Amino acid sequence: MDCLFCKILNKEIPADIIYEDDQVIAFNDINPQAPTHALVVPRKHIDTVNDIADDDQALVGHMVQVAGKIAKEQGFDESGYRTVFNCNSHGGQTVFHIHLHLLGGKPLGWPPYFDENLKQPVA
Ligand code: AMP
Ligand code: ZN
């Protein structure tokens, strides 16, 4: 299967891996949107959040817990952070192997379409 994150998981493409266990890996995003921007990726290929099966519930819970552990390791668990799953076109998903974004290390804008420079929401 021609999947970027499967290739990273198989070590065919390099990544800056910051966490690894039998179920998931986490690596730094190549285009960081915060001082820490990591992606927690399951070893199992699942296309989108729509495709999470009943049997995947523990795995997805583990992904969220790993994001919390990385936040603690990096020292922003108390100041706070954001975890995001993007899904399909309107969600802005570009890699169709589910991944949990972990963003932290600075105050993050909300709602997510708020433009920090224009100080107004963007469409
Ligand atoms: P999404 O848009 O939610 O599908 O997120 C995909 C993320 O993968 C984006 O934030 C990209 O910057 C990131 N990305 C794409 N290619 C790589 C790569 N080779 N290594 C690390 N992150 C990547
Ligand atoms: Zn994959």
Side-chain angles (χ1 to χ4, degrees), residues 66-103:
V66 165
K69 281 182 181 164
I70 295 168
K72 190 176 173 66
E73 246 171 48
Q74 304 221 357
F76 56 75
D77 54 323
E78 293 299 330
S79 55
Y81 54 94
R82 185 163 300 148
T83 51
V84 179
F85 282 103
N86 293 326
C87 183
N88 281 339
S89 163
H90 284 189
Q93 185 175 6
T94 58
V95 178
F96 289 84
H97 178 141
I98 62 164
H99 48 281
L100 183 59
H101 291 258
L102 168 66
L103 297 132

Side-chain angles (χ1 to χ4, degrees), residues 6 10 16 23 25 39 43 47 85 88 118:
C6 282
N10 294 331
D16 187 9
Q23 296 180 74
I25 67 167
L39 304 172
R43 291 192 186 278
D47 286 345
F85 282 103
N88 281 339
L118 298 172

Side-chain angles (χ1 to χ4, degrees), residues 1 3 5-6 45 96-97:
M1 190 190 307
C3 168
F5 288 174
C6 282
H45 179 99
F96 289 84
H97 178 141

Side-chain angles (χ1 to χ4, degrees), residues 15-61:
D16 187 9
I17 295 171
I18 58 171
Y19 177 89
E20 207 165 357
D21 66 24
D22 59 333
Q23 296 180 74
V24 303
I25 67 167
F27 49 87
N28 287 320
D29 197 291
I30 206 166
N31 181 24
Q33 302 300 313
T36 292
H37 183 176
L39 304 172
V40 182
V41 180
R43 291 192 186 278
K44 178 180 179 186
H45 179 99
I46 300 170
D47 286 345
T48 79
V49 168
N50 295 335
D51 304 300
I52 294 168
D54 289 348
D55 283 354
D56 300 324
Q57 286 182 15
L59 173 61
V60 175

